[in-house]
Amino acid sequence: MASAPENEKNASAPEKKTLTLKSMINNEEFVVDEHVALQSVTIKNMVDSDCAGDVIPVPTISGEILALVIEYCKNHANPSASEDDLKKADAGIVAKDIYTLIDLVLAANFLDIKGLLEVTSQKIADSIKDLPHQDVREIFGVENDYTPEEEAAVRAEHDWAFEGFP
Amino acid sequence: MDCLVNIFGRVGLESLLLDVPFVCKSWYKVTLNPQCWRRLDFSKLTLDDYWDFNDFTSRLMDKYHLEGKFHITAFIKSVIKRSGRSATYLALPSLPNDCTEEALLYVADECPALKALVLPSLNFLHLHEFKIQNHMSKWTNLEFLKLQTCFHMQELLFQISIHCKNFIALAIARANIGKDEASAIVNFLPNIKVLGLRYASMEKENLVTILQGCKQLELFDARDCIGFDEGDEEILKLASHIRSFKHEGSMLFDDDYYYCPNYRDDGFHDGNCSD
């Protein structure tokens, strides 16, 4: 999963091509080597279909999050990085608070970067794992919208599985 | 929505059953997506002693008010059903004999996408003439199989070689690797990458057969075996192409006939240690 997608255009062009990604939230711009940015399937599709101008606008992703995404792509575009190096680098990128992680998972999903989506989702899953639902609500700032009757109905849903057996 | 499915598929069965659905209504709806239920690890579930349920089991009984009517096989089936035939990982706990067979038959029919299957002790299945090898044709995507015991190894590996084209990892605890078994591994699984044969009874010549025949091996666990010595130079030389070859604790003879290794430390699922 570490290998950068091959770009046929690069093979014939000797100089390194760059792309500029611009966060539409705070207008921050990032100049990135094309082969780094192309790990995003969304960006690759834009480039392949000639929809990408000089500056690629990235909606709904802040500069802070975009910087993390680019860091991830740079690490994984480096052909000399070992599996262990990448694991360590990934762990560093996802060592963030839950709100940053949620933004990051949405960014990975929008930009379609499979590896980043995986490590970020796992990190969030690990923070929910084995916590009572009251604590999970608190962490995610989720309101309990169940009435006691509705909650009982969800519990009861499992009953059918156990009926008719000794 | 897709992001939540991806995350919920990674929280583990306990959270997925006991906590996530109760956070709020929209999370509950997401848990109905079969893709959340692709990884089914039941290995923590035990019913060995009615009065001594482990944490997961007792929380389950408590939360869903199941006192007095908890049937472990029915429970396993109901969870598998939620995966909508999309489960890719499944580990069964130690169950009473007939339950394991019932659960396995269900898994064979309802989990065609399995990539990894981890089974408990099959002693009882043997008694019931249940032959796992007859079901391999149902799991054509299987890549990894872990068994506590194996009675029909040659036939099993033959079936794997026919039906499971992506198979790369096999782990069998306490296997008896004779000449025929070693040849079967080489002949039927020549491209195997991961082999776990801890606590095997395996003479040196048979280990050599495997090392010479399976050139793609990346991980090979041959710790605590009887039949060759840990650190044997010829073996280490033959194993030099393997990224991780473990052989600690192996010895030519079993010095202490009554010595019983602590299976709980081996990374394999705890079987019925009492038998």
Side-chain angles (χ1 to χ4, degrees):
Chain A
M1 76 180 196
S3 65
E6 281 290 321
N7 177 18
E8 298 92 357
K9 284 178 201 159
N10 256 354
S12 54
E15 85 274 22
K16 258 190 185 166
K17 236 186 127 183
T18 59
L19 294 173
T20 303
L21 306 182
K22 183 176 179 182
S23 158
M24 298 312 283
I25 295 223
N26 50 4
N27 295 324
E28 224 177 304
E29 291 191 354
F30 298 85
V31 180
V32 192
D33 286 345
E34 191 180 49
H35 76 283
V36 170
L38 289 187
Q39 285 181 79
S40 155
V41 177
T42 308
I43 292 177
K44 186 174 188 302
N45 288 342
M46 286 170 80
V47 171
D48 285 352
S49 56
D50 280 331
C51 292
D54 293 341
V55 175
I56 299 179
V58 185
T60 70
I61 300 176
S62 71
E64 180 206 357
I65 298 297
L66 200 51
L68 287 174
V69 173
I70 292 167
E71 186 188 338
Y72 174 90
C73 291
K74 273 187 186 160
N75 295 339
H76 285 258
N78 176 6
S80 59
S82 74
E83 223 172 280
D84 278 354
D85 293 343
L86 289 175
K87 251 189 198 162
K88 266 185 211 149
D90 288 354
I93 287 176
V94 299
K96 301 286 184 309
D97 64 82
I98 193 78
Y99 298 105
T100 309
L101 286 174
I102 291 170
D103 287 343
L104 196 54
V105 87
L106 293 172
N109 191 49
F110 174 78
L111 292 169
D112 201 348
I113 305 169
K114 195 165 173 262
L116 181 60
L117 188 60
E118 246 168 57
V119 289
T120 322
S121 299
Q122 190 61 54
K123 181 75 183 184
I124 296 175
D126 291 344
S127 67
I128 301 179
K129 211 177 223 168
D130 304 329
L131 281 184
H133 63 265
Q134 295 88 341
D135 293 8
V136 179
R137 267 185 211 140
E138 213 163 286
I139 290 173
F140 284 82
V142 177
E143 283 285 322
N144 176 18
D145 55 358
Y146 277 116
T147 62
E149 293 77 25
E150 286 168 334
E151 193 176 320
V154 170
R155 286 173 203 275
E157 259 191 21
H158 280 257
D159 277 1
W160 64 269
F162 307 97
E163 274 162 14
F165 292 98
Chain B
M1 207 67 159
D2 282 347
C3 285
L4 275 181
V5 171
N6 194 344
I7 292 166
F8 291 171
R10 297 165 188 272
V11 296
L13 273 189
E14 190 169 341
S15 286
L16 197 53
L17 280 164
L18 298 178
D19 296 306
V20 172
F22 298 100
V23 169
C24 64
K25 288 189 217 169
S26 64
W27 281 34
Y28 162 69
K29 280 186 194 129
V30 174
T31 66
L32 298 179
N33 186 323
Q35 297 293 316
C36 294
W37 302 85
R38 289 169 66 182
R39 196 183 155 82
L40 304 176
D41 185 354
F42 295 103
S43 59
K44 276 202 232 156
L45 205 62
T46 52
L47 265 188
D48 285 346
D49 180 351
Y50 190 79
W51 300 108
D52 185 25
F53 291 129
N54 71 350
D55 239 25
F56 182 20
T57 318
S58 54
R59 283 194 64 204
L60 199 64
M61 310 259 297
D62 197 38
K63 196 131 189 173
Y64 288 108
H65 306 301
L66 300 171
E67 294 84 357
K69 55 174 175 174
F70 187 74
H71 186 282
I72 196 162
T73 316
F75 166 74
I76 289 172
K77 282 174 157 185
S78 80
V79 174
I80 290 174
K81 197 164 193 170
R82 288 176 162 234
S83 73
R85 300 171 69 82
S86 67
T88 54
Y89 175 99
L90 187 120
L92 287 181
S94 287
L95 297 168
N97 43 0
D98 52 330
C99 296
T100 308
E101 182 170 351
E102 184 187 343
L104 254 184
L105 284 169
Y106 192 77
V107 170
D109 285 332
E110 295 301 321
C111 302
L114 273 193
K115 287 186 178 172
L117 178 60
V118 177
L119 296 181
S121 169
L122 291 176
N123 293 341
F124 292 121
L125 293 181
H126 182 59
L127 293 176
H128 281 69
E129 293 299 315
F130 179 86
K131 297 191 172 71
I132 173 126
Q133 62 270 25
N134 294 352
H135 299 271
M136 298 315 293
S137 61
K138 303 272 181 70
W139 298 307
T140 54
N141 298 303
L142 200 68
E143 296 173 9
F144 170 51
L145 178 64
K146 186 146 115 181
L147 302 173
Q148 276 296 99
T149 38
C150 182
F151 291 98
H152 313 273
M153 188 139 97
Q154 285 123 288
E155 178 61 19
L156 173 65
L157 300 188
F158 172 63
Q159 291 297 329
I160 288 175
S161 74
I162 293 178
H163 299 291
C164 313
K165 295 297 176 205
N166 301 324
F167 197 83
I168 51 161
L170 176 72
I172 302 178
R174 285 164 281 168
N176 186 10
I177 307 293
K179 211 171 173 194
D180 294 341
E181 285 81 6
S183 317
I185 290 174
V186 170
N187 292 334
F188 296 131
L189 309 173
N191 300 319
I192 191 129
K193 288 186 178 160
V194 180
L195 195 53
L197 294 176
R198 202 167 176 193
Y199 300 117
S201 160
M202 172 163 59
E203 283 180 25
K204 181 176 164 181
E205 57 170 318
N206 299 323
L207 175 59
V208 168
T209 302
I210 295 173
L211 288 171
Q212 285 174 333
C214 300
K215 290 292 181 196
Q216 311 291 322
L217 276 176
E218 291 172 11
L219 297 166
F220 189 175
D221 186 351
R223 283 177 294 168
D224 305 303
C225 291
I226 303 297
F228 61 92
D229 274 320
E230 146 184 11
D232 183 299
E233 276 185 24
E234 188 192 350
I235 289 173
L236 288 183
K237 207 173 161 195
L238 283 168
S240 59
H241 66 286
I242 301 174
R243 187 157 52 87
S244 169
F245 177 65
K246 296 178 185 168
H247 50 93
E248 295 81 7
S250 287
M251 54 186 137
L252 189 52
F253 299 109
D254 193 353
D255 287 336
D256 183 355
Y257 184 75
Y258 296 103
Y259 170 67
C260 176
N262 183 359
Y263 294 119
R264 285 173 192 277
D265 291 335
D266 69 358
F268 288 89
H269 182 263
D270 283 7
N272 291 312
C273 290
S274 53
D275 62 23

